[in-house]
Amino acid sequence: MIICSQSPWPIIKAALLAQIHNDLPCFHSEQDSLGLFKDTTVYNADEIPLTTLLKQVSDTCGLNAAWLLDSPGQTLTRLVAANLRYQAADRSAVIFAAVEQAIRYGHSYCFCGIGDISRMFLSRAKVVSHEVHKMLGFIRFHPAPDNTLVARPKLFHQTADLILKKFVARYPNTRLVFLLEDTALVLMEGKLTQTAAAPYLPYLENQDFAAAWETYYQSQYIAARKNIKLAQHVIPKKYWNWLAEGKILESEASK
């Protein structure tokens, strides 16, 4: 059994071990679900140096994965990191399969999306990146006391911390708060903390603040130039019931 932490380099090393020992890798948290397999020999990828594994995979399998030490290796770690944030039941299976294909067939096979798994791997990384980019334009913070801004983003993946950090340049020296279900993710002075969401909920109930945004977008809307297809490209339909302008688009699309 091959186990590793849920971070890029341990995952890559676990994929190398999978080639060497012809076994399946899994995360530390998943090993108890493997039944009888959890009683087999355990290889902990976290504890084995990358250079050691590169030599072993070359000697044992005839695979040259030395590119992992260069810029393609950094690219692969970024893709793995993005996929770790993608919300899907088969997330770990796709990540391990894509990394193993890169090791077996070369990094170009993976980065060019030649196989189905590699294409999915690349697509999911782009989806995560796009969510971060879109939220920087879509999120409207509500003011709260003590130089605090609060928002409830509509997220489909595990991107909240990335988005908060991107907002720091826009709102320096400000406490930024995202409400995620019953938890508040707080970023202040570069430090991320989690706390209860309840104390921040009243600041999202300011109807005047929401109405101001609706009034603004109504004033910008030109009925004679209605182009719902273009608008949906800019503001995907999955956000229409969350954004003020999305509600306007939803209303106009139904006419």
Side-chain angles (χ1 to χ4, degrees):
M1 180 174 62
I2 299 165
I3 58 174
C4 66
S5 301
Q6 295 192 41
S7 55
W9 279 117
I11 288 171
I12 292 170
K13 291 194 292 182
L16 287 166
L17 280 167
Q19 298 301 306
I20 296 166
H21 298 285
N22 193 27
D23 202 350
L24 294 175
C26 71
F27 295 135
H28 287 296
S29 58
E30 298 173 342
Q31 62 191 98
D32 289 338
S33 65
L34 296 179
L36 293 175
F37 291 101
K38 69 180 181 180
D39 295 323
T40 60
T41 302
V42 176
Y43 300 95
N44 188 345
D46 297 26
E47 300 174 352
I48 306 175
L50 176 61
T51 52
T52 299
L53 294 175
L54 291 177
K55 185 178 186 307
Q56 288 180 3
V57 81
S58 176
D59 295 343
T60 305
C61 310
L63 298 174
N64 181 7
W67 55 267
L68 285 167
L69 299 173
D70 297 321
S71 58
Q74 296 300 320
T75 299
L76 184 60
T77 61
R78 289 194 294 270
L79 290 170
V80 171
N83 272 265
L84 283 169
R85 294 175 177 276
Y86 189 91
Q87 195 67 42
D90 62 351
R91 176 179 59 194
S92 60
V94 169
I95 293 173
F96 282 125
V99 174
E100 287 179 28
Q101 286 184 354
I103 292 169
R104 191 179 304 122
Y105 305 123
H107 58 82
S108 294
Y109 183 94
C110 178
F111 298 166
C112 294
I114 294 175
D116 291 343
I117 291 295
S118 294
R119 281 195 294 274
M120 186 183 299
F121 183 65
L122 292 175
S123 174
R124 290 183 173 188
K126 289 179 182 177
V127 167
V128 168
S129 177
H130 288 170
E131 178 166 274
V132 173
H133 177 72
K134 286 184 180 298
M135 286 299 105
L136 293 176
F138 289 167
I139 288 173
R140 286 80 192 249
F141 285 97
H142 291 240
D146 301 323
N147 196 29
T148 299
L149 295 175
V150 184
R152 186 188 290 278
K154 185 171 185 178
L155 304 178
F156 296 89
H157 306 287
Q158 298 171 22
T159 57
D161 59 320
L162 295 180
I163 298 166
L164 275 177
K165 290 174 182 177
K166 292 281 187 181
F167 273 117
V168 169
R170 194 179 302 179
Y171 304 110
N173 305 315
T174 303
R175 179 183 290 104
L176 301 176
V177 181
F178 276 174
L179 302 188
L180 309 171
E181 297 181 355
D182 59 348
T183 302
L185 185 64
V186 182
L187 179 62
M188 181 64 183
E189 297 180 347
K191 184 179 179 180
L192 277 168
T193 57
Q194 285 190 342
T195 185
Y200 295 100
L201 292 175
Y203 304 115
L204 297 183
E205 298 172 359
N206 187 339
Q207 297 303 316
D208 291 339
F209 185 82
W213 277 107
E214 291 187 23
T215 300
Y216 169 75
Y217 283 105
Q218 285 285 9
S219 71
Q220 301 299 303
Y221 181 70
I222 303 173
R225 296 184 180 179
K226 182 170 77 171
N227 188 336
I228 299 300
K229 187 175 181 179
L230 176 60
Q232 187 172 341
H233 177 73
V234 178
I235 305 175
K237 201 169 184 178
K238 62 184 179 181
Y239 297 119
W240 283 10
N241 65 351
W242 173 61
L243 290 168
E245 61 270 40
K247 294 173 183 177
I248 295 171
L249 289 173
E250 191 170 23
S251 175
E252 291 297 322
S254 64
K255 291 181 180 178

